[in-house]
């Protein structure tokens, strides 16, 4: 009985995801002349572990911690030498809401995402010796939501993203990105909404 209860509680914290994307690229080697096209099938899969504290004090009553793994495999129809896996691990921290009044809420988000990728230069060389590179992205966000009416919600978000490349040849791409995003959400039905967002961003490279 205890084992069944433990499994049941574990299921409350774990969720799985899967998806399939199909992409057509008319210049997979990123060249000006002699362009080559291909169709790319990319299945994705993921698992997420989430913990939510709803019993804390008012300011921290919805503390959420999440660990998310996402993997994908890119399959090229005409150029199978370019096939390969990509992996990313996302750790996020979310406090919502910090309440100023009965209507507006302030959400704080912090996430750390290490991932790996195959650089475009490998594609340009059409090489089967894929070099995998690694980077770490730290994301911080402050999101303010104000429900003006039952159907209209206005939001303003500030996001800061710091990206660090661990491979020496990509260190010039280390960057800090700042963005401000006003948004408007209109609830058409309880399960359907119209969402409109604008983003103003500036990226500084090291």
């Amino acid at each position: 009985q205890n084992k069944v209860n433990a499994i049941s509680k574990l299921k409350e914290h774990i969720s799985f995801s899967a998806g399939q994307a199909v992409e057509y690229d008319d210049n997979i080697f990123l060249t000006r002349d002699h362009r080559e096209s291909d169709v790319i099938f990319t299945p994705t899969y993921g698992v997420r572990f989430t913990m939510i504290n709803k019993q804390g004090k008012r300011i921290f009553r919805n503390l959420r911690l999440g660990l998310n793994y996402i993997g994908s495999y890119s399959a090229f129809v005409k150029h199978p030498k370019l096939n390969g896996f990509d992996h990313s691990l996302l750790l996020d921290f979310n406090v919502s809401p910090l309440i100023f009044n009965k209507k507006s809420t302030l959400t704080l988000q912090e996430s750390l995402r290490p991932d790996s990728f195959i650089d475009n230069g490998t594609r340009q060389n059409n090489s089967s010796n894929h070099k995998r590179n690694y980077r770490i992205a730290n994301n911080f966000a402050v999101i303010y939501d104000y429900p003006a009416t039952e159907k209209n919600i206005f939001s303003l978000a500030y996001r800061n993203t710091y990206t660090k490349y661990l491979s020496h040849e990509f260190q010039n791409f280390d960057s800090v990105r700042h963005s401000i995003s006003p948004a408007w959400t209109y609830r058409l039905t309880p399960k359907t909404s119209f969402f409109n967002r604008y983003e103003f961003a500036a990226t500084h490279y090291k």
Side-chain angles (χ1 to χ4, degrees):
Q1 183 67 29
N2 292 336
K3 185 177 181 180
V4 174
N5 292 336
I7 295 176
S8 178
K9 290 182 179 180
L10 188 61
K11 289 181 178 180
E12 296 178 359
H13 299 284
I14 294 181
S15 59
F16 299 91
S17 63
Q20 173 67 57
V22 180
E23 173 188 357
Y24 172 76
D25 192 330
D26 65 351
N27 187 13
I28 63 171
F29 297 122
L30 305 177
T31 57
R32 293 185 177 181
D33 302 318
H34 307 292
R35 295 186 177 187
E36 295 190 42
S37 63
D38 207 336
V39 176
I40 309 167
F41 291 87
T42 307
T44 60
Y45 47 91
V47 58
R48 178 175 177 82
F49 179 79
T50 306
M51 293 185 63
I52 302 177
N53 176 25
K54 295 184 178 180
Q55 306 299 325
K57 295 182 179 180
R58 180 186 182 194
I59 193 171
F60 289 117
R61 71 166 179 265
N62 279 336
L63 174 63
R64 178 186 303 167
L65 296 174
L67 181 63
N68 194 29
Y69 165 77
I70 300 175
S72 64
Y73 181 79
S74 297
F76 292 74
V77 175
K78 299 179 183 178
H79 304 80
K81 290 182 179 181
L82 300 178
N83 294 356
F85 287 93
D86 282 302
H87 309 275
S88 65
L89 186 66
L90 175 64
L91 176 66
D92 60 83
F93 168 85
N94 187 306
V95 177
S96 174
L98 299 177
I99 300 180
F100 293 116
N101 54 51
K102 293 182 179 180
K103 288 186 175 182
S104 61
T105 62
L106 184 70
T107 300
L108 305 180
Q109 294 179 339
E110 171 69 24
S111 64
L112 181 66
R113 178 181 176 178
D115 67 0
S116 62
F117 67 99
I118 298 175
D119 62 273
N120 287 332
T122 303
R123 280 199 195 180
Q124 291 172 357
N125 297 331
N126 194 16
S127 171
S128 60
N129 298 320
H130 294 174
K131 183 176 181 180
R132 185 164 293 278
N133 298 277
Y134 299 89
R135 61 190 169 194
I136 297 176
N138 184 78
N139 301 278
F140 173 75
V142 181
I143 305 170
Y144 177 74
D145 295 305
Y146 178 76
T149 65
E150 184 179 348
K151 292 188 175 182
N152 289 279
I153 301 175
F154 296 95
S155 305
L156 182 65
Y158 165 75
R159 292 180 174 86
N160 176 283
T161 303
Y162 173 69
T163 304
K164 173 67 177 179
Y165 288 83
L166 304 183
S167 302
H168 178 73
E169 59 268 32
F170 284 92
Q171 288 182 355
N172 290 333
F173 292 95
D174 291 355
S175 63
V176 178
R177 185 177 189 270
H178 305 273
S179 69
I180 295 178
S181 306
W184 169 54
T185 302
Y186 182 77
R187 293 177 178 172
L188 299 172
T189 69
K191 294 184 178 181
T192 306
S193 298
F194 172 79
F195 180 73
N196 187 25
R197 180 170 70 97
Y198 297 91
E199 183 177 59
F200 306 91
T203 303
H204 303 278
Y205 291 93
K206 296 295 185 179

